[in-house]
Each structure stands twice: as C-alpha cells, then as structure tokens.
Amino acid sequence: MIIGNRTLTTRYILPFLFDSNKLFNDKYKFVNAYISDINRPHLDSHIFVLFEYNTNTYSSVNNYMKENKYLYDSKLVSINNKLYQEYIFVIPNEYKNVIQTIRDGFYNDISYEYKEKIIFFWKNMCLSYLKGLLETKHDITEYKSLEERGEIVGEEDPPANEVNFWTRNIFAY
C-alpha cells in the first residue's frame, strides 16, 4: 500500500462513486483508494477506500459512506499494525466502461464529459498532473502494473486475537 501518495484510483475513479470530495483529505484521515485487494481477488469489480481509523472522524466518515448507494461492505482492518476503516464499493454499471478504460491506461479515450467530471470533482481546473494525463496521449507501455503502482491493498496483518477474528468472520457469512 502506498501511504501519502494518491493512487490513480483516487484521482480518476473516486469521482464516479461520489458527488463530493469533502472527506478525501487529511482532515478525515483519508489514505487512498484501490482497485484491487490481493486478499480478496474475487472482488474484481469493486473499489476499496481506506481511511486511517480515528475516533474523532469515524462517525462523519461512516455516515457519509453509508449514504452511498454503491457501498458493498465496510470493515476495520489492520495493516502493518495500524488500524484502518475500509469501505468497499461496487463499480456502478453506468461507469464500468469508463473505469475499465482508466484501468487500461487509455486516458485519451475518456470522453470530454467524463474528463470534466473528474476535474470538477477535485474542484481545481489547474491540476496540471490531472489535466495533463487526461488531455495528452500516453504510451500505454510506459504504465506500470497495478502492483507496481501500489494500486492493490497489501496483505492484512493477522488479527491479534485469532479466536475472536475467526468467530466474527464465521458468523458474518
């Protein structure tokens, strides 16, 4: 997992799941969004959004996330001995094609309408890295794999109390 850098999923795919970027900042302990999780490869049509667990911001973040009609699941996870709140969203059917285009690295093939959606979501038309990537043709062979870009959530730490972990997960299904 890359902490401190924004993934391509954060920059270009979050605008298709949310109407506002109000929680995706340091104030709410937003970490990043990811397109895949190596622990759950079967969730291949989902987006994983990670927040550092913080009791001061948890209820605001959780309430906002629960209002989203694409929410699939949420859970508390431990990564490198640190707690995170993970929210898992289903990719909306109406955006599957554009999100696949983004995943494949064909940014120039995104329609102008969707490019505007991304730029306006971040409320800054002067984001040169964003505008440059969306407006310029790029050689797709220069793009790194999802793992190399840090677009996949790393393996979670084993729970401190395995008995509670297994009991909780068995009854969750």
Side-chain angles (χ1 to χ4, degrees), residues 35-54:
I35 200 79
S36 183
D37 181 346
I38 60 175
N39 295 316
R40 293 167 280 180
H42 60 282
L43 296 178
D44 58 353
S45 294
H46 296 75
I47 304 300
F48 303 84
V49 179
L50 233 50
F51 287 84
E52 187 177 317
Y53 183 77
N54 182 304

Side-chain angles (χ1 to χ4, degrees), residues 60-72:
S60 297
V61 171
N62 199 50
N63 290 338
Y64 182 75
M65 295 296 160
K66 283 185 173 184
E67 290 175 3
N68 189 304
K69 66 183 177 182
Y70 304 116
L71 182 65
Y72 172 77

Side-chain angles (χ1 to χ4, degrees), residues 1 21 23 31 36 47 54 62 65 80 92 109 117 132-134 144 151 168:
M1 171 191 323
N21 70 1
L23 297 182
V31 175
S36 183
I47 304 300
N54 182 304
N62 199 50
M65 295 296 160
N80 299 328
D109 291 343
K117 182 174 184 60
L133 191 55
L134 292 173
K144 298 177 181 178
E151 289 283 319
R168 184 183 58 204

Side-chain angles (χ1 to χ4, degrees), residues 21-35:
N21 70 1
K22 70 180 181 179
L23 297 182
F24 303 108
N25 57 55
D26 292 337
K27 176 182 176 187
Y28 291 98
K29 305 294 185 181
F30 172 67
V31 175
N32 244 326
Y34 303 91
I35 200 79

Side-chain angles (χ1 to χ4, degrees), residues 115-133:
K115 289 178 183 180
E116 275 189 332
K117 182 174 184 60
I118 294 167
I119 291 169
F120 288 138
F121 177 81
W122 293 111
K123 297 178 181 163
N124 188 344
M125 292 295 289
C126 298
L127 293 173
S128 59
Y129 72 88
L130 184 62
K131 287 176 67 178
L133 191 55

